[in-house]
């Protein structure tokens, strides 16, 4: 509690000089109040039922900054953005809202109709379409609103937000992009302690390196004592006055609070030992919060980790859930841990220079094309559409405008004549394309402005086709793989596709994944040469020729290269998801990503496993 109270008080002191008030969920006794004031002397400890009394001393124009342990940021409390501008808005509740995360960066819900038949599959991606809040980090509440609303649920900021909305109080939510933990359960407290130990050990090592010393991964507070026969493995922090007796074993990351004692022969593995707590002799504690027995971090009275076993056997703590309650709302459109190869790093340096030279060389072409577009159809010369690049970062992909300005609206009306089996749209004799646009597309000149995207480092000469989110959301493994590299002006799919007439989404997936697995200078050069020889992919080139001696069959390598540090992507798992729920029958249309379920089954039958 001491470290956390000090951290919170410092964050609050940075935005206000007013007195702190601690409102515990339980009835605080004198010992609890004394422990709180030992950490922060200038603080009031008020029971929940008596919290309305201090409100009478405040002005209606004041604001109340509320922080609850149900959703605590690992990197510390970012309160400046929440508090800033509050003086000009005294009638609105302001919340700092964190969001859930998933290992795959996606969740999938299946809507079922009568008889359990699938009616609709809805997939959500972080952070583009992610409506799953993890909790409220902090709230700024106008006192004027509190004076007229009795019995607000102060124990939970999420419940407070809901209750005030039900009473008509307007609110404004600001997203918090960072990891959060729930301190009202054991796993959350352990996760926060682990992060603090890692930070302290890293700081100690950095300080030691600056002094020319080897600080190691052990942080020892003033007055702490460790018996020579005790073993400390991994990153461990010992508070002031902590004691580790003979034969004890501590495995990090572990945090042992001030004046805590680990007795002879005890084992502490990845635990949080609170100040003044005692790990008894020969006890084995694993993934536990060891307290003094008064109150656990969850606020449950009577929990005592010091109790001796009745049978005479060493006490062994029950294991908690292995899944730590850590959520992150940082933008994670790509759940892949990307580790670029030396070639990709070098390519990112050389290509912008080459693209700039190409733009200078092609200036006469631009000088001819731009007036043609401007004189033959109303609208801008260039068209910039939002696309997802490496890591899911959104950028504006530039082209010469080859369609009418209302092309997007017309596409919805033309959905019935869609000829593709995937997320992209294509039809013969597209009425949206202008006369000049048809010529530009036939000569592949409309793509030349993307050289500017290469100059800016948003694209490469070779890579997966730059696609918007609405296309990338269809297949999760495909999304993660293709967003692990920069999109390209041309690519393997463009020069190798050979099933256009039947819709070749399955080939699009296959060739993108093959490119990511085999990306190299030789492959890029072959694709560039093939692009020029086939006039932008007018006729297909065998993919085996593009990949050299490496096979491009469905039995391709079982793992991606170091371009992408995730397990192999198996396209046969078309509906890979983190969570699937069958929802009650609904009247929503049976659609998936803009196409019918029948079409998806057809695409499913055509696809090839890579």
């Amino acid at each position: 509690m001491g470290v956390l109270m000090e951290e919170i008080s410092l964050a609050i002191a940075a935005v206000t000089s007013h007195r702190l008030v601690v409102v515990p969920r339980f009835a605080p006794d004198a010992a609890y109040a004394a422990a709180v004031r030992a950490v922060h002397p200038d603080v009031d400890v008020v029971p929940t039922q008596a919290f309305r009394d201090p409100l009478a001393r405040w002005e209606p124009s004041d604001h109340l900054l509320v922080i609850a342990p149900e959703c605590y940021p690992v990197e510390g409390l970012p309160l400046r953005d929440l508090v800033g501008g509050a003086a000009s808005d005294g009638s609105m509740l302001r919340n700092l809202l964190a969001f859930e995360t998933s290992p795959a960066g996606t969740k999938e819900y299946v809507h079922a109709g009568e008889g359990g038949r699938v009616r609709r599959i809805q997939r959500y991606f972080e952070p583009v379409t992610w409506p799953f809040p993890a909790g409220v980090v902090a709230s700024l509440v106008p006192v004027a609103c509190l004076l007229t609303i009795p019995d607000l649920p102060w124990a939970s900021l999420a419940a407070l937000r809901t209750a005030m909305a039900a009473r008509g109080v307007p609110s404004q939510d600001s997203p918090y992009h960072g990891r959060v933990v729930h301190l009202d359960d054991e796993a959350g407290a352990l996760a926060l302690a682990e992060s603090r130990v890692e930070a302290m050990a890293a700081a100690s090592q950095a300080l030691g390196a600056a002094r020319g010393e080897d600080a190691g991964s052990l942080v020892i507070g003033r007055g702490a004592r460790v018996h020579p026969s005790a073993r400390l493995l991994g990153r461990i922090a010992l508070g002031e006055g902590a004691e580790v007796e003979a034969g004890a074993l501590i495995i990090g990351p572990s945090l042992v609070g001030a004046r805590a004692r680990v007795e002879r022969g005890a084992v502490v593995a990845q635990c949080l030992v609170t100040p003044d707590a005692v790990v008894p002799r020969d006890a084995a504690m694993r993934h536990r919060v060891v307290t003094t027995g008064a109150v656990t971090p969850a606020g449950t009275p009577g929990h005592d980790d010091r109790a001796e076993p009745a049978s005479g056997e060493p006490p062994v703590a029950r294991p908690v859930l292995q899944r730590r309650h850590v959520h992150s709302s940082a933008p994670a459109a790509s759940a892949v841990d990307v580790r670029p190869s030396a070639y990709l790093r070098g390519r990112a340096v050389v290509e912008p220079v080459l693209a700039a030279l190409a733009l200078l060389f092609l200036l006469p072409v631009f000088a001819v094309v731009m007036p043609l577009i401007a004189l033959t159809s109303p609208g801008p010369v260039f068209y910039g559409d939002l696309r997802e690049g490496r890591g899911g970062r959104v950028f504006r992909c530039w082209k010469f405008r080859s369609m009418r300005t209302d092309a997007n609206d017309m596409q919805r009306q033309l959905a019935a004549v869609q000829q593709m089996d995937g997320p992209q749209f294509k039809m013969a004799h597209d009425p949206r394309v202008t006369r000049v646009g048809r010529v530009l597309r036939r000569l592949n000149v409309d793509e030349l402005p993307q050289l500017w995207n290469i100059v800016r480092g948003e694209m490469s000469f070779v890579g997966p086709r730059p696609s918007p989110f609405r296309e990338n959301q269809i297949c999760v493994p495909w999304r993660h793989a293709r967003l692990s590299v920069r999109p390209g002006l041309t690519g393997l799919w463009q020069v190798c596709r050979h099933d256009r007439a039947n819709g070749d989404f399955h080939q699009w997936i296959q060739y993108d994944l093959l490119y990511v697995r085999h990306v190299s200078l030789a492959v890029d050069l072959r694709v560039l040469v093939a692009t020029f020889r086939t006039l932008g992919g007018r006729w297909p080139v065998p993919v085996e020729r593009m990949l050299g001696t490496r096979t491009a069959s469905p039995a391709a390598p079982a793992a991606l290269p170091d371009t992408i540090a995730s397990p192999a992507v198996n396209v046969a798992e078309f509906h890979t998801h983190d969570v699937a729920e069958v929802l009650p029958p609904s009247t929503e249309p049976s659609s998936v990503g803009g196409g019918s379920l029948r079409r998806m089954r057809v695409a499913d039958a055509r696809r090839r496993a890579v």
Side-chain angles (χ1 to χ4, degrees), residues 488-507:
L489 189 62
T490 184
L492 190 66
W493 176 59
Q494 288 90 323
V495 299
C496 295
R497 57 190 297 199
H498 55 81
D499 200 11
R500 299 171 187 249
N502 296 320
D504 58 351
F505 183 49
H506 58 291
Q507 287 188 347

Side-chain angles (χ1 to χ4, degrees), residues 345-355 454 461:
R345 289 193 295 269
R347 188 176 76 168
V349 175
V350 174
E351 284 188 329
V353 178
L354 297 178
I454 300 177
F461 282 105

Side-chain angles (χ1 to χ4, degrees), residues 147-204:
L147 295 176
T148 59
I149 304 175
D151 303 326
L152 285 173
W154 294 106
S156 169
L157 290 184
L160 177 66
R161 173 172 170 260
T162 302
M164 296 196 72
R167 288 167 172 81
V169 177
S171 64
Q172 179 184 36
D173 293 333
S174 300
Y176 170 68
H177 299 299
R179 294 185 301 153
V180 296
V181 295
H182 295 285
L183 294 181
D184 52 0
D185 64 25
E186 193 171 33
L190 287 172
L192 183 64
E194 179 178 321
S195 70
R196 294 299 181 265
V197 171
E198 295 288 344
M200 286 188 289
S204 176

Side-chain angles (χ1 to χ4, degrees), residues 154-414:
W154 294 106
S156 169
L157 290 184
L160 177 66
R161 173 172 170 260
T162 302
M164 296 196 72
R167 288 167 172 81
V169 177
S171 64
Q172 179 184 36
D173 293 333
S174 300
Y176 170 68
H177 299 299
R179 294 185 301 153
V180 296
V181 295
H182 295 285
L183 294 181
D184 52 0
D185 64 25
E186 193 171 33
L190 287 172
L192 183 64
E194 179 178 321
S195 70
R196 294 299 181 265
V197 171
E198 295 288 344
M200 286 188 289
S204 176
Q205 288 178 326
L207 181 60
R211 297 176 176 175
E213 304 172 352
D214 183 11
S217 58
L218 180 64
V219 180
I220 302 179
R222 183 171 48 193
R225 301 187 301 275
V226 180
H227 194 275
S229 65
R231 292 179 296 164
L232 281 68
L233 307 177
R235 294 194 167 186
I236 299 168
L238 301 178
E240 294 185 4
E243 182 178 359
V244 182
E245 296 184 353
L249 170 63
I250 303 180
I251 302 173
S254 289
L255 175 61
V256 180
R259 301 172 303 280
R261 187 170 75 254
V262 181
E263 294 187 343
R264 181 185 298 269
V267 177
V268 175
Q270 297 168 349
C271 290
L272 166 60
V273 183
T274 61
D276 300 305
V278 176
V279 180
R281 181 172 180 171
D282 296 327
M285 298 293 180
R286 174 178 173 269
H287 293 176
R288 294 302 307 267
V289 176
V290 184
T291 72
T292 56
V295 178
T296 66
T300 303
H303 181 77
D304 193 348
D305 284 314
R306 299 178 301 170
E308 293 288 344
S311 63
E313 295 293 330
V316 179
R318 61 171 177 83
V320 297
L321 291 176
Q322 296 301 309
R323 182 179 67 87
R324 295 292 177 86
H325 288 210
V326 181
H327 300 287
S328 173
S329 57
S334 174
V336 176
D337 179 19
V338 180
R339 295 179 298 176
S341 64
Y343 166 65
L344 291 178
R345 289 193 295 269
R347 188 176 76 168
V349 175
V350 174
E351 284 188 329
V353 178
L354 297 178
L357 294 176
L359 280 174
L360 291 175
F361 179 77
L362 292 169
L363 281 179
V365 177
F366 279 66
V368 173
V369 172
M370 292 171 63
L372 286 175
I373 297 174
L375 294 173
T376 56
S377 64
V381 171
F382 297 100
Y383 172 71
D385 193 29
L386 295 179
R387 306 293 172 93
E388 288 188 304
R390 180 172 176 265
R393 288 183 289 273
V394 177
F395 70 98
R396 193 168 292 279
C397 181
W398 292 102
K399 296 182 179 183
F400 282 124
R401 184 176 59 83
S402 60
M403 288 188 174
R404 297 169 41 166
T405 55
D406 59 347
N408 286 335
D409 294 333
M410 292 182 65
Q411 179 174 324
R412 297 184 177 92
Q413 301 172 11
L414 299 170

